[in-house]
Amino acid sequence: MTVLEIRNHVVDALKAYLGIDVILSDQAAPEAPVPFCIYTVTAPYAPTGELGDHSQEEVTDENGDTNIVDIRREQPSMTLSFTFCSENRWKEGPGGAKTYIFGEDEAQEYAERAQGWFLHVAYDSLSNMGIVVADVMNAGGRTTLIIDEAARRYGFDVRIRYTRADKRTDHTVERVTI
């Protein structure tokens, strides 16, 4: 499984669970209406220093020649950073009643729900894909000032482990004519 496949699966599943947009940070297009989540892959490949597990397979190419495919598997980790964004605002509810939303509270609530998703809810579906949640860091304030208003933000990082496989074809010599 590639880093891109893992990232896309995690982002799509988290979006479905939370019911808000989960978008890549630093996009040229404007961000989504609040609340939303921005993410970035801060470390796509962090090796553990292991030599990996090697296996070999015998394969026959289109010319009928036999070759050996050497497959190296390892279990590196990758780190994703999630930031949940909101702002203080009035929200119209049923019957036209307005409710004041505290952006700080809303962003923190989404961050905590997302942490719970990684810690427990998604455990089964992720592990069935070969993705293991190794560490969920603490959620912290990431509020920033945008012109004259604070963008209320809470975020955390997640470290996951996955299996990476690299293949190499080694040509063989079956007969030597002397």
Side-chain angles (χ1 to χ4, degrees):
M1 179 167 265
T2 67
V3 169
L4 188 58
E5 291 170 332
I6 295 168
R7 182 204 69 185
N8 290 345
H9 174 74
V10 168
V11 166
D12 291 344
L14 186 60
K15 179 180 178 179
Y17 177 72
L18 295 175
I20 61 172
D21 287 327
V22 179
I23 55 179
L24 184 61
S25 66
D26 301 324
Q27 294 294 295
E31 294 175 340
V34 291
F36 62 90
C37 173
I38 55 175
Y39 74 90
T40 187
V41 179
T42 57
Y45 172 73
T48 59
E50 62 189 281
L51 296 174
D53 174 39
H54 286 263
S55 62
Q56 288 80 30
E57 297 176 359
E58 206 175 276
V59 295
T60 304
D61 64 17
E62 62 277 353
N63 297 329
D65 296 329
T66 302
N67 297 308
I68 302 295
V69 174
D70 183 30
I71 303 166
R72 178 185 176 272
R73 291 180 181 84
E74 66 173 324
Q75 294 182 330
S77 64
M78 70 184 287
T79 304
L80 297 113
S81 182
F82 295 93
T83 302
F84 296 86
C85 307
S86 185
E87 61 187 18
N88 296 340
R89 66 191 186 286
W90 287 96
K91 182 179 179 181
E92 192 168 326
K98 289 190 174 191
T99 305
Y100 192 72
I101 304 293
F102 290 97
E104 182 93 3
D105 296 343
E106 185 176 49
Q108 183 177 6
E109 179 184 342
Y110 276 110
E112 289 173 358
R113 284 182 58 203
Q115 283 178 309
W117 183 80
F118 281 106
L119 290 168
H120 184 65
V121 177
Y123 177 83
D124 192 43
S125 66
L126 292 177
S127 65
N128 287 340
M129 294 185 66
I131 303 168
V132 177
V133 177
D135 194 14
V136 178
M137 280 48 152
N138 291 332
R142 296 179 178 178
T143 296
T144 185
L145 187 63
I146 299 178
I147 304 173
D148 62 345
E149 185 177 348
R152 305 298 181 176
R153 296 179 175 181
Y154 259 83
F156 64 93
D157 293 352
V158 175
R159 189 171 53 87
I160 61 175
R161 293 199 61 181
Y162 63 99
T163 300
R164 174 185 170 136
D166 297 300
K167 296 181 180 183
R168 177 185 74 210
T169 301
D170 295 329
H171 301 284
T172 59
V173 177
E174 290 186 15
R175 284 184 229 117
V176 177
T177 305
I178 300 180

